[in-house]
Amino acid sequence: MAKTMAAADRLSRALDEWQHWDLPAPLTHPPLLGPLLAQGSGHAIYDILCTPPLIGRIRYQRTRLAETAFETELTAWKTASLQGIAPGLVFYDPAEQAIICRRATPLDAPVSGKALGQLCRRIHQLPALSGRLTLRSDIGLYLENMPDHLSQAWRSVMSDGGVDHALTQLEQDTPYLCHNDLTAGN
């Protein structure tokens, strides 16, 4: 809870930049930070109280060791937004890892399998980005930073579980734009 409260304070600083947001019609008064709408493994999503409807996303916990993860995500987001398949970015602050974006309109009905397939096709047709999974080096960094009593067990799993072979196959695979967060909630 303390991490999300600190993140909300950081997101409030992004709201202070409201006069610099990229909107067709500038806001006439400062927006307010609304309620927490959702929380993932590393990000919290807040309602931004203003017109047009906006949301704010703030990182409250690192989920990747790569230093360029936020910039890589922004590049993918901007590309998808230009194609109309992601919410438009209004403001982002790399230092705070905060994003203000347009709020998607609620759906009238559940998404059909056909519509989901068409969306996936459009996502896979996006131009290639330079970012690739760095699982092998990420795993190595995690293992280096683990206490010895934990890392020994994980190193054993890595060597006995066929992980090296799986990572080699992934590294040789065709790159696609993907979420890359394989936690149970996703």
Side-chain angles (χ1 to χ4, degrees):
M1 186 67 168
K3 286 183 180 182
T4 53
M5 293 300 289
D9 290 341
R10 291 183 14 249
L11 186 56
S12 291
R13 289 195 286 274
L15 269 59
D16 291 341
E17 298 293 320
W18 64 277
Q19 293 173 316
H20 303 287
W21 292 1
D22 184 14
L23 290 166
L27 298 177
T28 56
H29 58 280
L32 299 173
L33 184 63
L36 177 69
L37 298 174
Q39 184 173 338
S41 59
H43 296 90
I45 309 294
Y46 289 86
D47 194 9
I48 304 298
L49 305 176
C50 68
T51 301
L54 302 173
I55 61 171
R57 188 185 87 161
I58 186 79
R59 179 165 297 183
Y60 68 88
Q61 177 174 290
R62 284 181 61 173
T63 55
R64 296 212 41 217
L65 292 176
E67 293 296 323
T68 59
F70 185 77
E71 290 78 14
T72 302
E73 182 180 9
L74 272 178
T75 300
W77 193 332
K78 288 176 189 176
T79 303
S81 177
L82 289 172
Q83 296 295 320
I85 56 178
L89 291 167
V90 171
F91 178 81
Y92 54 92
D93 181 345
E96 296 291 350
Q97 297 196 358
I99 293 174
I100 307 295
C101 68
R102 296 180 184 281
R103 186 177 188 138
T105 56
L107 298 173
D108 295 332
V111 176
S112 70
K114 181 178 179 180
L116 185 57
Q118 290 170 338
L119 175 61
C120 287
R121 177 173 292 181
R122 289 183 67 196
I123 290 170
H124 289 141
Q125 290 173 338
L126 290 172
L129 301 172
S130 61
R132 290 188 62 98
L133 290 175
T134 56
L135 293 177
R136 190 181 301 275
S137 61
D138 286 352
I139 290 168
L141 287 170
Y142 279 119
L143 291 173
E144 286 175 19
N145 291 305
M146 273 185 184
D148 286 337
H149 71 283
L150 294 175
S151 79
Q152 290 172 359
W154 279 104
R155 288 179 196 280
S156 175
V157 168
M158 298 295 292
S159 63
D160 298 340
V163 174
D164 188 59
H165 175 70
L167 291 174
T168 298
Q169 285 192 299
L170 280 172
E171 291 164 351
Q172 295 170 354
D173 201 2
T174 303
Y176 289 102
L177 181 64
C178 62
H179 190 260
N180 293 339
D181 186 347
L182 304 178
T183 57
N186 290 322

